Amino acid sequence: MIELQNVHKYFFKDEPREVHALNNINLTLEDGEFTLFSGPSGCGKTTLLNAIGALDEIDSGKIYFDKTEISALSDTARTSLRLNQMGFVFQAYNLVPVLSVEENIGFIMKLRGFSDSEIQKRVLEVASMLEIDNKLKALPNALSGGQQQRVAVARAVAAKPKIILADEPTANLDSKNSQKLMDMMKELNKKEGVSILFASHDEYIFENVRRIVKMNDGEIVDA
Amino acid sequence: MFSFALKNILFYKGRSLTTFVLTFVSTLLFVVYVSMMDGSHKSMLQNAIKIYTGAIEIYHKDYRDIGGNEYLIQDTSAILKKISQIEGVEAYTSRYETFGLLSSKNNSAASMVAGIEPEKEKSLSSISEALTEGEFLTEKSGNCIYMGVELVKKLKVKLADEVAFIGAASDNSFAADIFRVCGIFKTGSFEFDLSTSFLSRDYFDTLMLSKNKASYITIKVDDLEHVEAVNEKIARVLDDNLESLTWKTLMKTMVEAMEVDSIFGYISLALFLVVIFFVIMIYGFINVSSRIKEFGVLRCVGISNSNIFSLLFYEIFILSTLAIAVAAPIGGYICYYYSINPIVIEGIAEMYKDYGIISDEIPFDFSVFTLAWNILLIYVLNFLSILYPYFYINSFRPIEASRHV
Ligand SMILES: Nc1ncnc2c1ncn2[C@@H]1O[C@H](COP(=O)(O)OP(=O)(O)O)[C@@H](O)[C@H]1O
Ligand SMILES: [Mg+2]
């Protein structure tokens, strides 16, 4: 469970160009939820995901990941929290170009010290769920954008994190590939029970989602 | 991380190749540079000894401090006989040195005049090779005098001219004669060339009444490295009133000068290393700057700082090991080869004679120990060079870095 209490975040605090990127956010996200953060560009979705993902600091308020207060953790503890509990999907895929598809998928598991046989088994499992099991030996740059993003999702989910944070994962994809990715993520959410938080300003994705958090100007307008 | 590093190296071929070549070239240059430095050092020493000073010299005690005819070696042939039986002695000869006044029609000058055994002298010193005009002495060259070029200039004489000599014989009686200039030499040492002249002992001893006497005996050893050991053996067979000294004592000032020279050598070596270090580090830094995003993404998904450090470490370790593994044998072989078959640049000795260079050979020195510490140093430099880039990467927050373009 993730809980945000009175979270504020500023950029350029106390300067004329100050931005109040997160304005008094209060939110509870249950385990296993599939949540979309929506709203116009610049409303604070990325800032919020980064705060939850222990990638960025906040100026005031509290964020709890289960019982741990993220905002109070050291850099090392945040790194280890991200590695052990979270999966990330970026807009720009961000696969490791020198590693093959299967090595990319198994990368986080390897860092976490899973055995090679466990990794191999799990890589096959998620790869077939995401329909990239015929590309395992390929390097990322030989894949289409849609395939690369599915590899990124596979990497995020392979090590069984509690939550996956996906910031505009479909922004670089056409509508067909976006739809496919959304369907697969919903499937993963259902089968694996992993919470998925993602941010998007695409309107048409909304119909697929159970919970939508609407934002505007750094505030939650509808949860 | 090791296999990840290996894959990075193989994937970014251009980058890896440049790092490889940089390390390769700097290792090679460094090894060869050190070899030449050591080599020129050694040859400087050998040259200095070769000109006139022996590796070991035997004196009557007090000759060097007080001097004079009371402190000549009296029974030279008996001592030479003992020395000839000592292992490690390659050659030896006796010299009789005295000071006198040399006069030409135009000018006079004080000079050290030495009676030498011309044939033996050839294998003990390089004064015969320093010949520039005329001929070197022979046993039977009579009143021929072999003169330093600066002394010749001062007396304003030329070959075949006559010079008058006035001095004191070994029994302190008056000695005077007329010599004929038969040969002129130039060692490159101004002092030496201005104040030294030679005659064959056969002739000079008759004039100076110095048969079987000697100012000192000079000795060449098989191997300079063993000079102390040979010196001890010699000292053991000598009478109490004699002393035998090695070049280190004989050329105190020279040795001190060489130490200063080696300090300059080490300073230039240090500069060289600093340059190598910065080249490698700047290149490593440029590399890492282009990888900020890559490392940022890795850190976002949970790679720790120590993982990044091991990644950089393995990358540089693999590349520098490869580069050194190739460069060290090549560099070592070059040094080894040229230490045995020196590069000869025709005429270089002629051109640089004034600086005391008396050989056309470019000196190299080969030693496994030197090679080993050279390699170790390049290794250490390579590893040090990843530190700054590493801290630079860490100065970015992961999320900033992942968006870095
Ligand atoms: N690193 C940053 N530095 C300064 N301002 C920023 C930074 N990131 C975001 N902002 C500002 O914060 C606000 C929210 O941005 P963001 O969270 O990226 O919105 P969204 O993801 O919804 O498009 C915007 O006004 C944006 O200009
Ligand atoms: Mg955004």
Side-chain angles (χ1 to χ4, degrees), chain B residues 199-227:
Chain B
L199 275 97
S200 167
R201 279 205 75 157
D202 270 2
Y203 183 87
F204 200 50
D205 282 347
T206 319
L207 174 67
M208 303 307 282
L209 309 171
S210 55
K211 207 155 196 71
N212 210 26
K213 295 181 181 178
S215 303
Y216 58 94
I217 292 165
T218 182
I219 294 164
K220 183 180 186 182
V221 293
D222 289 342
D223 185 350
L224 262 187
E225 308 265 319
H226 302 141
V227 64

Side-chain angles (χ1 to χ4, degrees), chain A residues 41-42 44-47 91 167-168 199 201:
Chain A
S41 194
K45 306 181 292 291
T46 297
T47 310
Q91 176 177 337
D167 190 7
E168 311 265 5
H201 59 268

Side-chain angles (χ1 to χ4, degrees), chain B residues 13 71-72 74 101 105 141 149 191 200 269 295 328 385 399:
Chain B
K13 292 198 179 63
Y71 302 112
L72 291 173
Q74 295 297 331
L101 187 73
K105 266 180 275 173
S141 55
V149 65
E191 281 300 309
S200 167
L269 206 65
F295 287 120
S385 74
I399 188 70

Side-chain angles (χ1 to χ4, degrees), chain B residues 294-315:
Chain B
E294 174 191 335
F295 287 120
V297 170
L298 293 178
R299 286 163 72 208
C300 279
V301 302
I303 262 200
S304 64
N305 291 352
S306 60
N307 280 328
I308 292 205
F309 188 79
S310 1
L311 184 63
L312 287 174
F313 180 85
Y314 283 134
E315 286 183 18

Side-chain angles (χ1 to χ4, degrees), chain B residues 88 138 186-187 200 270 317 327 359 371:
Chain B
T138 66
K186 179 177 181 182
T187 61
S200 167
F317 174 76
S359 156
L371 196 62

